[in-house]
Amino acid sequence: MASRARNGQVEAGVTDARWLDDYRARAPRGDMLCEATGPDRVAWEAAFDELAGVPDTLSGARERAQRHADDIGTAYRAAGETEERRWPLSPVPLLIGADEWRGIAEGMAERAELFESIITDIHGEQRLVADGVLPAMLVTGSPLFLRPMVGLTPPGGHQLHFVAADLCRGPDGRWRVLADHVRVPVGAGYALENRLAMGRTLGGLPSRVNVERHAPFFAAMRAGIAAACRRAEPRIGLLTSGKLNPSYPEQAHLARYLGFLLVEGADLAVRDDQLYVRTIAGLKRIDALWRRIDPRLIDPLAFDANSTIGVPGLVDAMAAGNVVIANAPGVGVLESPAFAAFLPALGERLLGHAPALSSIGTWWCGDAQARAHVLSSLDQLVIGPAFAGPVAGLPDGAVLGASLDAGARERLVAAMALRPQDYVGQEVAELSTMPTACGEGLLPRPFSLRVFAARGGDGRWVVLPGGFVRIGDQPDARAAVMGEGSWSADVIVHGPDPVEPVSLLQPTDSVELRRNPGTLPSRVADNMFWLGRYLERGEALLGVIRVLFGHSISADTGAALAPATVERLVTIIADTGAAPRPPSHRRRDLVDFAREAMESVDGWGSVRAVNRMATGIGGVSRDRLSADMVRLLDAPHPTTGTLLDRAGTLQRRYAALAGLSAEHMGRTDAWRFHDLGRRIERALAVTRTLLSVDLRRANAEDLSTLLDLADSQISYRQRYLMGFARVPVIDLIALDPGNPRGIAFQVDTIVQHLCKLPVLNDAGIAEPQQRIAARLTAGIAMASAERVDRGWVLEINQQLQKLSDAIATRYFLQGAQALREAGLTLA
């Protein structure tokens, strides 16, 4: 074993040396790897030594990194798309030495503080405009300027808590800013996920090159928001617009990592200038929101009256000092590309010097002299909108002036003459390159670096040591050509000193123990409940389809059941809305009927449609479900094999999901609602099965089919050596509390869950859902199998449906009604 290990190390060393030699021979001037010397060069060699240890060389490393990213759940959605895409992760990280990084971090912190001073003045005294340092048109002409924020001092006194910037490194080694992000800074979660994936891919690298860790940054960011709150132990939420937000997976990961509640506008309500989240225990106070939606949409009373994703009265609660919003609405005015033209002067005024981390050259065409320069240098500049949104002559956004044909150039110049203030000219930034795994080789590709800064608990700015890079897929090193890039990579800041292990987990002796996992928003409870119902509904429908063909070797040979039994099964399936009744019970008609019930993409009742609804819930519940469960929910509908083969694949998937929920979900309130949904749906399915048969005249085949549909054949045969008898079958399926597939077991479990869930008063009086459950329990306890008939089953079915409605009314608080309910808990 030792000899093999030594040989492996020798081979790895030869491999990575060959990669580096080949790469250095083709890389352009300014490449990050080629210019590395001393400790930086050693770090790059260590990284490729680790990569060479991954099986199947570079292609294996790339696939391994991508697989780890998928396992973590990293994904994104392109604008206008409904399906998520895999997060494209390169296995080769960007390495930056501690000395070089120090300059970036100090410049980023200084820039964040400069922005804080600028926006404080814009929303306050407005001396910068009055003194002519900043054109008024640049502020009030921006669609991102929110007039209601003028004169409003945020809780804690800070407008900014979290900022980001895209940096470029030129061939001369100088770092500059391509764009600032203060309105809704995106990407910190992707940086974290990249680091997790790369830690699994290059596991030995952190200890070899002393990699700076991410956890202290996120701890400082969380402490900074908490410090601005009035309560010592605040409740903080991450406000999202929902699953269609392009970065929703990132938001879910951040909320879980930071311990924030992932909330949407419908989860929140303002009452007496206090912000509350609707939970299963009533209204619970929210002290701060990390806002990840457009600020113009957060409060329809203050900004966009058409917004349906905001919280009416939220800005009033902020103005009263009762809720921190990070970042404060209105700071997005700083993102306008035109602002970059005035940052040197603003820095001189507010800092005493120009910002150390400067922007790329920018000229705002609202200034006559700058406009003349832009028009005379059109071929050497990028022309883009001065503010957010498209403008005349630039339907697709910023363009290289040199790429415009005569007609487009003429139209752009004419548009600029009409409204010059809407345009900026920016220099064409040349980007450094970094090594990227392409096939079995390394190629130099241009990159940009996104860096993040957060205000810590002491009010000072902390910069994430790293961030993430975007990598272009073409060798053209112009930033305007690279655009958003095609690949992402981790950013490793390394240094000579060992790094202390840091985690967001505090020392165990300083943390108050708790076994209550915290607040459960009503929307989450609603989702968990219906996820359980949809999964159970799909499994039950699939079970009927399998029983319909269960006596055949293949679905193509037809079913071997009596016509009356086939008719009952067809009725059960048709009544669910899965498929219209077949024209006859002939083999081909039944096969077509079953295929549509399983695979129809139209309507809402087929197995595929039910699974689609479950998948949708899984997509908005990433912060509550394991990655394995999300992957199973996202798995495509099977398309190969016979009908029974595909049914078997789905059945195994349902079994895996049930196993994960039963054995891997903590016994939290979220799990209780998930299991409640399963129990109610399973009990309803059994009642529907019993209602399909004349229980007083059921024959042997009827009874056997009932046992099949209730998945109780083995239990019956182990208990009764005789053939099928009506009373024992009914007792097992309906009344036996020891049968986990029967009605009695479901009702007992439902009662146990309801006893564990919170109530809204201390009077000891049962709530509606508890009373219905008690009625169900009594009905089953007092019944005897000999007397069970259609009327009894129908009553149980109706009570179960009433119970579902009562649970929804009590726990799934929606709209304004929840604010008027008596006895709501306010905490």
Side-chain angles (χ1 to χ4, degrees), residues 421-445:
Q421 69 271 22
D422 289 342
Y423 302 85
V424 293
Q426 294 183 305
E427 68 172 295
V428 180
E430 292 288 331
L431 305 178
S432 289
T433 57
M434 64 174 287
T436 305
C438 298
E440 286 303 325
L442 293 172
L443 293 176
R445 289 291 183 260

Side-chain angles (χ1 to χ4, degrees), residues 615-809:
T615 299
I617 292 176
V620 298
S621 305
R622 291 175 179 271
D623 58 324
R624 302 280 173 171
L625 302 176
S626 68
D628 287 336
M629 201 162 184
V630 172
R631 273 196 298 274
L632 283 172
L633 289 170
D634 286 343
H637 195 84
T639 56
T640 59
T642 66
L643 195 64
L644 281 180
D645 290 336
R646 299 197 292 278
T649 298
L650 287 171
Q651 186 64 42
R652 289 187 290 274
R653 191 178 298 171
Y654 283 127
L657 285 164
L660 285 171
S661 64
E663 299 298 330
H664 293 270
M665 289 182 72
R667 275 13 186 194
T668 63
D669 287 340
W671 169 78
R672 292 192 187 284
F673 279 100
H674 177 70
D675 203 56
L676 268 173
R678 281 187 175 276
R679 301 302 171 183
I680 290 176
E681 190 66 37
R682 185 177 297 177
L684 284 169
V686 177
T687 61
R688 287 192 291 267
T689 299
L690 291 171
L691 288 171
S692 70
V693 174
D694 185 345
L695 296 177
R696 294 295 186 185
R697 299 178 178 83
N699 58 35
E701 183 164 281
D702 293 334
L703 297 174
S704 178
T705 302
L706 287 177
L707 290 172
D708 281 336
L709 293 175
D711 199 14
S712 298
Q713 281 277 11
I714 294 176
S715 296
Y716 183 86
R717 292 179 180 181
Q718 287 178 338
R719 190 173 303 181
Y720 303 103
L721 298 179
M722 69 188 94
F724 299 115
R726 184 181 70 84
V727 172
V729 168
I730 292 174
D731 181 75
L732 178 64
I733 294 176
L735 303 179
D736 186 348
N739 178 15
R741 308 298 297 187
I743 296 175
F745 185 92
Q746 314 313 316
V747 172
D748 283 352
T749 306
I750 289 167
V751 170
Q752 293 173 29
H753 286 324
L754 293 178
C755 288
K756 295 283 188 179
L757 292 175
V759 294
L760 291 180
N761 61 71
D762 299 324
I765 300 174
E767 294 184 340
Q769 72 279 2
Q770 295 172 321
R771 291 197 293 271
I772 297 172
R775 193 176 302 125
L776 279 165
T777 301
I780 291 172
M782 296 175 64
S784 63
E786 295 87 348
R787 294 177 177 273
V788 167
D789 57 11
R790 180 178 180 83
W792 183 89
V793 177
L794 190 60
E795 173 65 18
I796 295 294
N797 179 280
Q798 292 171 347
Q799 291 299 320
L800 286 166
Q801 294 186 57
K802 289 180 181 179
L803 176 61
S804 179
D805 292 341
I807 289 172
T809 301

